[in-house]
Amino acid sequence: MSGAAHGRTRWFGWTVLVLGFAFLYLPILILMVYSFNENRLATVWSRFSFKWYVALFNDRAMLQAAWLSLKVAFWTACAAVVLGTLASLVMTRMRSFPTKTAFAALITAPLVMPDVILGLSMLLLFVSTGGLVNSLGMGHFEAKGVYSIWIAHVTFTLAFVTVVISSRMAELDKSLEEAAMDLGANRIKVFFQITLPIIAPALLSGWLLAFTLSLDDVVVASFVSGPGSTTLPIKVFSSVRRGLNPEVNAVATILVLLVSLGAVAGWWWMQREEKRRQRDMQLAVQGNG
């Protein structure tokens, strides 16, 4: 390939890359810029101001919805990582058993299931479960509430987390675990001292993915949320339907910054752990040599 042709190909690649990033991130940047606009009209710039941030921090309903979403997303991510790790161990470490294919299909079913169907099925499950619990006198179970949102979010984020963790565990060299067991370590000790540190970057990636999916969910939460359990996406969606509210730009800017900081911190930690793992492997190879 001549120098001119190579230059044109490189220029075309950079152009496509810039246009792709602009398509993805330019609307977010515009939203963040207009969160500092004093004018209530989202398309008319008047002057720089923190007016809508002050209004946001005085809006008790919006703040409560944001705090509820953060709590639900945090506990959803934690539960999804624990259950996803257990499911990944079953799928990658256990030998074939009669229902292994069905188990894997059920775990990953939410990946291809429409959110409307998933939300409706969760609502019907909670209604029937609540009726059964209340009829048996075992307490009072609310079909719509915070716990219902949490269970529904764990259900559909579990599939994404399992895929991330199982792919990492499938690449794990089993000889490391077998060597540890040959030295006298039981399976639990091997998991916590050998397997868990190696798959830690995948656990963090799954946690961040589950947190983001839960924080962003509107459809499923709209089916299982009730009075007093309105999440931030539902609150924002209802506010936008009544007209553009500049407070939405302010809360979206804050969330984008928080999620971006979390993603950068997670990426930095995973890069450090990967470098440390490669260094340890090189030292082990040199020691054996």
Side-chain angles (χ1 to χ4, degrees), residues 9-248:
T9 303
R10 187 175 181 181
W11 177 86
F12 177 76
W14 277 105
T15 302
V16 172
L17 181 64
V18 170
L19 291 177
F21 277 114
F23 176 78
L24 292 174
Y25 296 108
L26 188 58
I28 299 177
L29 293 176
I30 294 174
L31 179 146
M32 296 174 68
V33 169
Y34 273 93
S35 69
F36 299 99
N37 182 21
E38 187 185 32
N39 200 321
R40 187 174 184 84
L41 297 177
T43 57
V44 179
W45 178 269
S46 57
R47 64 175 183 173
F48 184 89
S49 174
F50 290 99
K51 173 182 177 181
W52 302 115
Y53 288 90
V54 175
L56 171 64
F57 287 108
N58 291 326
D59 191 340
R60 187 175 181 84
M62 188 72 75
L63 292 178
Q64 288 179 344
W67 179 239
L68 176 63
S69 292
L70 290 174
K71 289 192 297 183
V72 171
F74 175 83
W75 291 113
T76 295
C78 293
V81 166
V82 173
L83 296 176
T85 303
L86 296 176
S88 300
L89 286 172
V90 172
M91 295 170 60
T92 59
R93 289 295 181 266
M94 293 185 65
R95 296 180 178 179
S96 299
F97 53 93
T99 59
K100 185 175 182 178
T101 302
F103 176 80
L106 290 175
I107 288 292
T108 57
L111 290 172
V112 295
M113 187 178 298
D115 291 343
V116 175
I117 302 300
L118 181 61
L120 180 59
S121 61
M122 296 300 297
L123 175 60
L124 295 176
L125 172 65
F126 293 145
V127 170
S128 59
T129 303
L132 178 62
V133 170
N134 298 332
S135 63
L136 294 177
M138 300 173 59
H140 179 70
F141 181 84
E142 295 183 358
K144 291 187 174 184
V146 177
Y147 291 106
S148 301
I149 299 174
W150 175 67
I151 295 173
H153 282 188
V154 172
T155 300
F156 80 85
T157 58
L158 173 62
F160 295 89
V161 175
T162 302
V163 170
V164 173
I165 298 177
S166 61
S167 62
R168 182 69 182 93
M169 292 192 68
E171 299 174 355
L172 180 63
D173 188 1
K174 295 182 181 180
S175 61
L176 298 175
E177 299 174 333
E178 294 172 354
M181 286 188 288
D182 290 339
L183 294 175
N186 55 36
R187 291 187 179 274
I188 297 179
K189 190 173 183 180
V190 168
F191 173 77
F192 283 101
Q193 294 190 0
I194 303 297
T195 308
L196 194 61
I198 295 178
I199 66 171
L203 298 180
L204 180 60
S205 300
W207 193 95
L208 291 173
L209 179 60
F211 182 87
T212 304
L213 291 172
S214 175
L215 192 65
D216 183 59
D217 175 64
V218 177
V219 179
V220 176
S222 64
F223 280 94
V224 297
S225 63
S229 60
T230 302
T231 60
L232 182 61
I234 296 177
K235 180 67 176 177
V236 170
F237 184 71
S238 61
S239 299
V240 172
R241 291 182 63 182
R242 295 193 299 266
L244 293 177
N245 186 356
E247 291 183 26
V248 174

